Amino acid sequence: MSHLALARTYRPRRFREVATQEHVSETLKRAVAGDRVGHAYLFCGPRGVGKTTLARILAMSLNCPNRTPEGEPCGSCENCGRIWAGHTSLDVVEVDAASNRGVEDARQLRERAMYAPSAEHRHKVYILDEAHMLTREAWNALLKILEEPPPRVIFVFATTEPQKILQMASPILSRCQRFDFRRIGVADIMGRLEEVLEAEGIPSSPEALRAVARKANGGMRDGLSLLDQVLALSDKELTIDSVVRVLGVVAEERYLEFFDLVIERRHGAVFDFVEALVDEGYDLVEFYRGLTEKLRLLLRISLDANAASGDMGRELREGFAQRAAGFSPGDLVRMLAMATALEADGSLRRTGRPRVLVEMLLLRMSYMDRTVELEEIIQALGGAPARSSAPAGKQGVPSAGSSASLSVLPSDRTASAEEKVVPVAASRSGTGHRSATVRPGAASVRKKPEATASEPRSPSSSRSSDAPGVPGSGPLLAAWQAYLAGPASIPPGLTPFLRASEVRETTNGLSLKIPPGPALDRVRDPSVLATLRRGLALSSGRDSVEIALESDESAPLDEKKNSEGAEEAIRGTRLAELIERAPFVKGAVAELDLDFVDS
């Protein structure tokens, strides 16, 4: 005897047996029981979710002599058997619209529909599968009979692309009752597969059932067909090994191995990992699709520890929970965004060599900088007041006038020279200079020594006549100090550098010696220098004041300006990249008047 596929052997025969589509089956069953069946139905939804099956059950129910008062067909009489199997019947006709799509086919169907059913108590049911393949002319030929059908004639159109019907023949939609079928969940598919295996007398493991159900992608027919395929290899027991061998499903342990690479930042091992996948015969596109699911699972566990799938084994649940603890939710969101972007831009579908794309995706994840909370950055920059009266340097929050470095490192190891460093520097008027260095891992705060007001000053900065901040050294010097301390507008980020500059009064104005750094190049900008001159003139009560810049470096001024300009551009680019990766830093930069310096 020839083998009958499981998808056909275990096809539902009654409304209650159709999984997930209760909103359709219950409505149709009550319509049959209450004699309120419509003359035309449009069944829309993905393939393999029960559209044609429910159309046949509807036809069985309308023509079953043993139908229950609730509208259920018996499923075992001769009429039900012929309709369920799709055999030829006088009153139930199935038409493949993909191969009978022309206007002549539609006219023949219309002429056949004009004949009465074979018996008075029966109904003629026409089931058109792949209805979106009908031409515009064919729909126009059917339009009149759909609007005024003969008695006891019912049309059922099944399609996976209802939008095409809307584009070609939108009047058809108003003449049909439309039902949208849903994808079948993994749990429902697993339950049905388990019932089939029990009926066949074949033991199974939950991991194997789950792998087949996920591979089915929401289609019950696909799930049964895949199960049939795996059982062809081993019909004694359904194991995860047989599923992996036949269907190419990537084992869960491979994803755990990859997450370990990312957590431990073993970048070079990514190539060996992909090489092993290829050598073992895995499909890299299949691995990629599974990776998005596992990242989503890690994100759910990270947000809710009890969110792991109940059909997963205890060891796997613990393994994924352990890996989820190594990432913050923000890290997982960015990794998931990286993964979904690869498919969204279509590059994975267009390329014939997915290996390079997958390798680059995994490398980007391994090099990804870890998320740091904004509160931690503000605290490290001294934005939060100390909570106790302990001396500065004894607390996690540095005091004003000191310099603090926020180093985010793995909790079980120290920083290495190879680790990627993303510097963020902050300077606020009146609070001294601070810099934050962000490395992947958990946060720890380190103090960096800096000279304070109580420490001896260097000889070059102890000139009593030129020292900044000494009132009464001269009228312009006093005006300069008043200008810096007043509400006048100073270009953002320059105030602390101008206060730290050495100022000397000249015949026509002031001479500034600004410490080397990004501020020196900014002050050389003609518009910035003009703003400072206008502000000093208003503060001193003069019509105009000259401000000259000094440089004590040996390099010529033009070379120094070009070099510092290039460095400033690099710093600006790095700060923009940091803000793009961590948008919450943008608020801190604007609120605290931050600038980017090397720590």
Side-chain angles (χ1 to χ4, degrees):
M1 296 180 62
S2 59
H3 171 70
L4 191 62
L6 295 178
R8 296 181 59 191
T9 304
Y10 294 94
R11 192 170 198 164
R13 295 173 180 260
R14 298 170 182 84
F15 287 116
R16 66 172 181 270
E17 296 176 0
V18 181
T20 305
Q21 315 303 341
E22 291 81 5
H23 64 294
V24 182
S25 59
E26 286 295 324
T27 303
L28 295 178
K29 184 173 68 173
R30 290 176 181 271
V32 172
D35 196 19
R36 300 179 63 88
V37 179
H39 64 275
Y41 292 96
L42 178 62
F43 291 171
C44 313
R47 59 186 179 90
V49 296
K51 299 186 297 295
T52 306
T53 296
L54 269 177
R56 289 183 181 179
I57 295 176
L58 175 62
M60 292 164 56
S61 179
L62 291 172
N63 295 288
C64 179
N66 304 320
R67 183 180 68 203
T68 65
E70 293 78 16
E72 286 280 12
C74 68
S76 57
C77 66
E78 182 180 358
N79 285 337
C80 291
R82 296 185 66 85
I83 297 173
W84 175 82
H87 296 163
T88 303
S89 175
L90 291 176
D91 297 322
V92 179
V93 180
E94 287 195 32
V95 179
D96 180 17
S99 56
N100 301 275
R101 60 193 302 264
V103 63
E104 289 299 328
D105 300 311
R107 287 172 180 170
Q108 293 178 10
L109 178 61
R110 183 181 61 187
E111 293 174 359
R112 293 174 59 183
M114 299 303 295
Y115 293 96
S118 59
E120 185 176 355
H121 65 280
R122 298 175 65 87
H123 290 73
K124 298 193 72 171
V125 181
Y126 290 90
I127 303 174
L128 280 77
D129 203 5
E130 303 295 335
H132 61 275
M133 298 295 292
L134 290 175
T135 63
R136 188 185 304 272
E137 293 75 16
W139 281 117
N140 291 335
L142 292 175
L143 185 59
K144 186 63 176 178
I145 195 172
L146 288 177
E147 190 172 30
E148 298 178 1
R152 291 179 289 141
V153 174
I154 298 169
F155 290 89
V156 180
F157 302 98
T159 178
T160 56
E161 301 182 53
Q163 70 277 4
K164 290 188 176 181
I165 300 178
L166 176 63
Q167 295 169 0
M168 290 190 301
S170 57
I172 295 294
L173 300 180
S174 63
R175 291 161 173 82
C176 301
Q177 293 186 27
R178 174 172 172 169
F179 289 95
D180 290 292
F181 285 62
R182 304 163 182 164
R183 288 189 179 275
I184 303 176
V186 174
D188 291 335
I189 296 178
M190 287 183 61
R192 183 58 175 168
L193 296 181
E194 190 173 7
E195 292 176 1
V196 170
L197 290 175
E198 288 180 358
E200 294 287 327
I202 300 175
S204 62
S205 65
E207 291 80 6
L209 289 174
R210 180 172 175 269
V212 175
R214 285 192 174 277
K215 183 73 172 179
N217 194 27
M220 185 66 75
R221 183 179 64 229
D222 290 350
L224 291 171
S225 299
L226 292 172
L227 179 62
D228 218 351
Q229 184 178 347
V230 176
L231 292 180
L233 174 66
S234 174
D235 58 357
K236 295 182 180 180
E237 183 181 3
L238 182 70
T239 62
I240 186 61
D241 293 336
S242 60
V243 173
V244 170
R245 289 177 58 190
V246 176
L247 303 183
V249 179
V250 182
E252 309 279 4
E253 290 76 9
R254 305 300 284 168
Y255 296 105
L256 296 178
E257 180 181 346
F258 167 68
F259 292 137
D260 288 338
L261 297 182
V262 177
I263 294 174
E264 298 170 7
R265 305 184 71 79
R266 291 187 281 140
H267 315 302
V270 169
F271 294 100
D272 297 332
F273 175 77
V274 176
E275 185 73 26
L277 290 178
V278 174
D279 292 343
E280 294 173 14
Y282 289 118
D283 183 2
L284 292 182
V285 177
E286 183 69 25
F287 169 79
Y288 160 78
R289 290 171 180 164
L291 179 61
T292 58
E293 294 179 1
K294 299 307 177 292
L295 286 171
R296 178 179 176 275
L297 176 61
L298 288 186
L299 180 58
R300 290 189 61 197
I301 297 175
S302 180
L303 297 174
D304 182 4
N306 300 321
S309 300
D311 53 6
M312 186 181 295
R314 182 180 59 85
E315 293 184 2
L316 281 178
R317 285 200 301 270
E318 293 178 354
F320 279 102
Q322 181 181 357
R323 272 66 175 188
F327 300 97
S328 69
D331 297 334
L332 295 172
V333 168
R334 285 188 289 149
M335 292 172 68
L336 191 57
M338 291 180 191
T340 54
L342 187 61
E343 188 172 16
D345 61 13
S347 57
L348 192 63
R349 295 190 300 270
R350 293 192 300 265
T351 184
R353 302 177 59 189
R355 176 170 181 171
V356 176
L357 293 179
V358 172
E359 284 180 341
M360 291 303 100
L361 172 65
L362 302 187
L363 279 174
R364 288 175 59 197
M365 290 183 179
S366 69
Y367 275 106
M368 183 189 67
D369 296 320
R370 303 298 170 79
T371 301
V372 180
E373 294 293 336
L374 178 60
E375 289 79 3
E376 297 178 4
I377 295 179
I378 295 177
Q379 184 182 26
L381 296 176
R387 296 187 177 182
S388 65
S389 58
K394 300 298 184 180
Q395 306 175 43
V397 180
S399 60
S402 65
S403 176
S405 172
L406 172 64
S407 299
V408 183
L409 302 170
S411 57
D412 58 345
R413 61 191 181 94
T414 58
S416 62
E418 295 80 14
E419 289 188 307
K420 185 176 180 180
V421 177
V422 181
V424 181
S427 51
R428 297 193 303 165
S429 47
T431 59
H433 178 69
R434 299 173 175 82
S435 65
T437 303
V438 180
R439 295 187 181 91
S444 63
V445 178
R446 300 182 304 181
K447 290 293 297 286
K448 294 201 296 187
E450 183 180 34
T452 62
S454 60
E455 295 177 351
R457 301 182 61 185
S458 60
S460 61
S461 62
S462 60
R463 307 172 191 172
S464 59
S465 61
D466 299 339
V470 181
S473 298
L476 279 181
L477 289 176
W480 175 255
Q481 296 301 325
Y483 171 56
L484 295 181
S489 175
I490 298 177
L494 287 183
T495 301
F497 294 98
L498 295 177
R499 289 181 173 177
S501 303
E502 295 184 8
V503 187
R504 182 168 53 84
E505 189 169 343
T506 62
T507 304
N508 298 323
L510 296 180
S511 176
L512 301 181
K513 189 173 183 181
I514 300 177
L520 184 58
D521 189 62
R522 291 188 60 192
V523 174
R524 287 199 181 104
D525 186 276
S527 61
V528 175
L529 197 57
T531 300
L532 297 178
R533 287 169 177 166
R534 287 195 300 269
L536 180 58
L538 291 174
S539 180
S540 62
R542 299 188 182 186
D543 294 334
S544 63
V545 177
E546 289 295 328
I547 296 180
L549 302 178
E550 295 183 8
S551 175
D552 60 351
E553 297 183 77
S554 58
L557 190 61
D558 291 340
E559 296 181 7
K560 178 172 176 290
K561 181 176 180 179
N562 293 336
S563 174
E564 292 181 350
E567 294 176 0
E568 178 69 13
I570 293 174
R571 285 191 292 268
T573 301
R574 292 171 65 187
L575 179 57
E577 292 176 353
L578 175 64
I579 292 176
E580 182 179 357
R581 291 196 301 267
F584 52 78
V585 177
K586 183 177 181 181
V589 172
E591 179 69 21
L592 303 178
D593 193 17
L594 309 183
D595 199 5
F596 192 97
V597 300
D598 294 323
S599 63

